[in-house]
Amino acid sequence: QVQLVESGGGLVQAGGSLRLSCAASGRTISSYVMGWFRQAPGKEREFVATISWHGGNTYYADSVKGRLTISRDNAKNTVYLQMNSLKPEDTAVYYCAAGGLPGATISTFYAYWGQGTQVTVSS
């Protein structure tokens, strides 16, 4: 199986930027559709973004469209989430996931998950 480790989270002011990374090991991520999800305290896990095997197709939740960008570097076995114009409502634990269904926005379609990285956006 593939192991996923997120990094890059932290504290940032509203309007600021962060870049999250998801480093994979065990298998090449070229075999997987990749996604980002997030979960805030007391809330359901929420779809953020997904990217196809070669990076040619991306899909975003309406709440993050235009502000967050998913990308992948299969040679580095890494997926990224560039987060710009951050808002306090973006505060959550962000999870990287690997699956097999292109464009999937539901968490059950992803078989492998990282442990998450905390993003906190202050007012």
Side-chain angles (χ1 to χ4, degrees):
Q1 65 175 356
V2 64
Q3 293 80 45
L4 305 173
V5 179
E6 302 94 337
S7 63
L11 176 64
V12 65
Q13 282 189 307
S17 298
L18 285 173
R19 189 177 76 160
L20 306 184
S21 297
C22 173
S25 61
R27 295 193 65 185
T28 175
I29 62 166
S30 65
S31 298
Y32 300 99
V33 171
M34 302 298 294
W36 286 96
F37 290 76
R38 66 187 182 185
Q39 189 165 24
K43 296 184 67 177
E44 299 282 344
R45 184 159 37 189
E46 177 187 25
F47 168 76
V48 175
T50 188
I51 188 166
S52 60
W53 296 274
H54 304 108
N57 295 292
T58 58
Y59 181 76
Y60 299 91
D62 288 342
S63 60
V64 306
K65 198 172 299 180
R67 301 187 300 113
L68 275 58
T69 303
I70 188 171
S71 63
R72 65 192 299 159
D73 187 339
N74 288 348
K76 294 183 177 180
N77 229 25
T78 303
V79 180
Y80 305 96
L81 185 67
Q82 179 65 48
M83 310 172 71
N84 299 326
S85 301
L86 284 165
K87 304 175 181 179
E89 51 263 44
D90 295 317
T91 295
V93 176
Y94 283 72
Y95 297 93
C96 176
L101 186 66
T105 61
I106 300 172
S107 62
T108 52
F109 290 121
Y110 294 85
Y112 305 102
W113 294 81
Q115 292 298 306
T117 186
Q118 177 71 49
V119 172
T120 303
V121 184
S122 62
S123 303

